[in-house]
Amino acid sequence: MTQTCPSGATLAEAEAFLDAHPEIEAFDIVLHDSNGIGRGKIIRRHELLSVYKSGRHMPISILGLDICGEDVHETGLIWDQGDGDLRAWPIPGTLKPLHNTLPPRGEVFLSLYELDGTPMTSDPRHALQRQVDLLAAEGLRPAAAFELEFFLLARDRGADGKVQPAHDVLDGRHSRKTEVYSVDHLHGMLPLFSDIYAAAEKAGIKAETMISEYAPGQYELTLHYREDVMQAADDLMRLKRIVRAQARAHGVTACFMAKPVEEYAGSGMHFHVSLQNEKGENVFAEKEEGKWTDTILHALGGMRDTMAESMLVFAPHANSWRRFANQSYAPVSTNWGVNNRSVALRIPAGELRARRIEHRPSGVDANPYLVATTVLAAIRHGLRNRIDPGPETTGNGYADDDGGAMPRDWRSAIEAAKKSAFLKDALGVEMHRTFTAVKAAEYARVSRTVSELDFDLYLHTV
């Protein structure tokens, strides 16, 4: 049965894609859960048109899974609803060829809808779209880009059992140096990086600068600024899949943990955001450099005011909290500053017309749809209530202890998120319930696990 696609995708888009790519034999159909994990199926070429005509049935429980892919009953998405099927529909513009696959494959992103076509509100994409629509009602459109930091690791652990940086794929050279901003160091990974860029180009992603980052085996890849914040989040999700797949093809492991190596800095997912009015003007841009507009100041105020109760979105896993340490390039306060990488909210130096806020708390393990949702809601909160962000932090932001009641660990962040009226409104009631229930279940799993560290500390001492 053919139905009207509520996402706006058209059968003509799929038909044109198949005509243009006769070599493609199969497709990954992917929707993203609260952790940002891609869930779905691989379908054959002849099945694609039916997805665009009638959608694809998926169990409602697919959005109620924890990091291990196990049901979290407290989400209310499992037996409370009989684990019935809803319908997933393709997202317009997300049908893309995949690079370096054999046999050739494509992929398309999906979003989940009720059977009557209304959005299933535990889907992170719908949460973000709601905030975009609320800003649009106020005559504002968010533009954004994410930065992607990650580690390239060897497949085998070191003699000490710990992960180790990957050997260069070009010549097998192995460096344990930090190599920050080293151009020559990048050369050893050029075959892999070339495949990443080729895959990004096929996917319509404008991947830009590659940087050797602040730890052995750590890299950063920047993305072109998008006038559509949903597109910016899609870019990040797709690029993570690209990096992981191409790294595997070259015999190394791409790691998107926030803190895989205890001695070095972790990996962030900085979110750059600005607002445009109906004329396409950047309302954050001041007329005279340094004379900040009320708009950017109130946006900063809203972000600061809501950051503590939102930290679970920005640091959603147990490992996320290992990233927060002084002088690790991860913020430990809610402070803001200009051209200062030691603060949580940074106004980068640059042209006035490109004025934006860089939101720095999120780790690369966070869900970009939920990060963007929460940040946009915080901006709306600041603009609506004309919140003063307080004085700018200059110099060492790690010495600034004006963080308010910031949670200092995962459990505190979970409790703060559960109680937060702001976060419930930002994510929507059902998305909030799903997300916090999943995090509470994961916390319980981690808490009951007896690790090697326990034996190391206590086996022969207590």
Side-chain angles (χ1 to χ4, degrees):
M1 179 178 67
T2 302
Q3 292 183 238
T4 300
C5 178
S7 70
T10 66
L11 185 60
E13 178 185 355
E15 291 172 334
F17 185 91
L18 292 174
D19 288 343
H21 298 279
E23 76 285 1
I24 290 182
E25 297 183 16
F27 294 87
D28 297 358
I29 59 173
V30 184
L31 62 85
H32 296 97
D33 66 11
S34 63
N35 276 316
I37 295 174
R39 310 273 184 194
K41 305 177 181 183
I42 299 177
I43 63 171
R44 305 304 297 170
R45 178 185 177 92
H46 70 270
E47 298 179 87
L48 182 68
L49 294 183
S50 69
V51 175
Y52 278 77
K53 289 177 182 176
S54 306
R56 187 81 176 212
H57 282 104
M58 296 278 191
I60 191 173
S61 58
I62 201 168
L63 294 181
L65 304 176
D66 68 8
I67 196 72
C68 297
E70 295 189 8
D71 292 341
V72 177
H73 297 280
E74 292 78 7
T75 62
L77 300 179
I78 318 298
W79 298 124
D80 290 6
Q81 304 197 39
D83 196 19
D85 281 345
L86 298 183
R87 189 171 277 115
W89 289 93
I91 304 302
T94 65
L95 180 58
K96 305 290 182 181
L98 292 174
H99 175 68
N100 203 19
T101 55
L102 190 66
R105 299 199 325 277
E107 73 175 358
V108 62
F109 286 179
L110 308 177
S111 199
L112 204 59
Y113 291 81
E114 305 287 352
L115 296 180
D116 65 2
T118 57
M120 198 286 169
T121 51
S122 287
D123 184 323
R125 290 185 66 95
H126 294 316
L128 177 53
Q129 188 60 54
R130 176 171 165 267
Q131 290 300 326
V132 171
D133 291 344
L134 288 169
L135 280 168
E138 299 169 12
L140 296 170
R141 181 180 65 195
F146 288 91
E147 295 175 9
L148 180 67
E149 294 180 357
F150 58 95
F151 280 79
L152 293 175
L153 302 176
R155 287 183 172 176
D156 298 324
R157 302 284 183 93
D160 58 2
K162 296 181 179 180
V163 297
Q164 55 184 339
H167 290 72
D168 289 353
V169 299
L170 186 63
D171 56 14
R173 176 177 174 267
H174 191 218
S175 173
R176 291 185 178 273
K177 299 176 185 177
T178 299
E179 305 276 15
V180 64
Y181 279 86
S182 169
V183 176
D184 289 344
H185 178 63
L186 294 175
H187 292 170
M189 289 293 182
L190 278 182
L192 168 55
F193 295 155
S194 294
D195 271 331
I196 290 172
Y197 282 119
E201 184 176 0
K202 269 191 176 182
I205 297 172
K206 295 181 179 180
E208 298 185 328
T209 306
M210 182 71 74
I211 302 167
S212 177
E213 262 290 354
Y214 203 66
Q218 188 185 36
Y219 302 88
E220 178 187 298
L221 187 56
T222 62
L223 288 161
H224 189 72
Y225 213 68
R226 294 283 195 179
E227 293 189 353
D228 179 349
V229 70
M230 187 73 77
Q231 182 69 66
D234 284 345
D235 284 351
L236 195 284
M237 295 304 295
R238 200 183 297 273
L239 191 59
K240 286 178 74 171
R241 284 173 55 81
I242 286 171
V243 172
R244 183 176 283 119
Q246 300 313 314
R248 182 181 297 162
H250 284 272
V252 302
T253 297
C255 176
F256 299 107
M257 291 171 62
K259 183 78 167 179
V261 184
E262 60 196 48
E263 295 91 351
Y264 293 99
S267 294
M269 187 181 70
H270 303 158
F271 178 50
H272 295 252
V273 62
S274 60
L275 292 179
Q276 296 179 351
N277 61 22
E278 293 171 333
K279 297 178 181 179
E281 299 166 334
N282 182 357
V283 298
F284 281 175
E286 67 273 24
K287 293 181 179 179
E288 181 181 345
E289 187 161 3
K291 303 291 186 181
W292 311 117
T293 64
D294 287 344
T295 309
I296 199 169
L297 290 175
H298 295 328
L300 288 165
M303 290 184 188
R304 292 199 69 193
D305 192 52
T306 59
M307 189 179 295
E309 59 200 294
S310 303
M311 279 303 298
L312 186 63
V313 173
F314 311 140
H317 305 291
N319 180 258
S320 308
W321 292 85
R322 307 195 199 290
R323 176 171 161 260
F324 296 98
N326 282 338
Q327 300 179 30
S328 64
Y329 289 95
V332 294
S333 178
T334 68
N335 49 12
W336 74 278
V338 181
N339 196 22
N340 186 337
R341 286 183 170 83
S342 66
V343 297
L345 303 169
R346 171 178 174 250
I347 299 178
E351 297 181 61
L352 298 187
R353 63 185 181 87
R355 185 65 72 215
R356 63 194 187 276
I357 298 171
E358 180 186 6
H359 180 273
R360 296 175 58 81
S362 298
V364 74
D365 56 343
N367 183 333
Y369 299 112
L370 296 186
V371 169
T373 298
T374 306
V375 170
L376 295 185
I379 289 173
R380 289 183 53 246
H381 170 71
L383 297 181
R384 184 171 61 250
N385 296 289
R386 301 185 63 80
I387 297 175
D388 186 339
E392 170 194 348
T393 293
T394 58
N396 184 4
Y398 296 115
D400 183 357
D401 196 29
D402 186 24
M406 284 282 283
R408 295 301 180 186
D409 56 46
W410 193 27
R411 180 178 180 179
S412 300
I414 292 171
E415 292 306 311
K418 283 182 176 179
K419 296 174 184 176
S420 172
F422 162 77
L423 198 60
K424 184 178 291 186
D425 179 67
L427 301 181
V429 173
E430 291 189 10
M431 184 74 252
H432 178 266
R433 182 186 66 241
T434 298
F435 180 65
T436 56
V438 166
K439 294 297 110 184
E442 291 171 357
Y443 176 81
R445 178 189 291 272
V446 171
S447 296
R448 66 175 177 261
T449 300
V450 180
S451 69
E452 284 301 315
L453 179 61
D454 289 288
F455 291 113
D456 183 52
L457 292 176
Y458 309 122
L459 179 60
H460 298 294
T461 56
V462 297

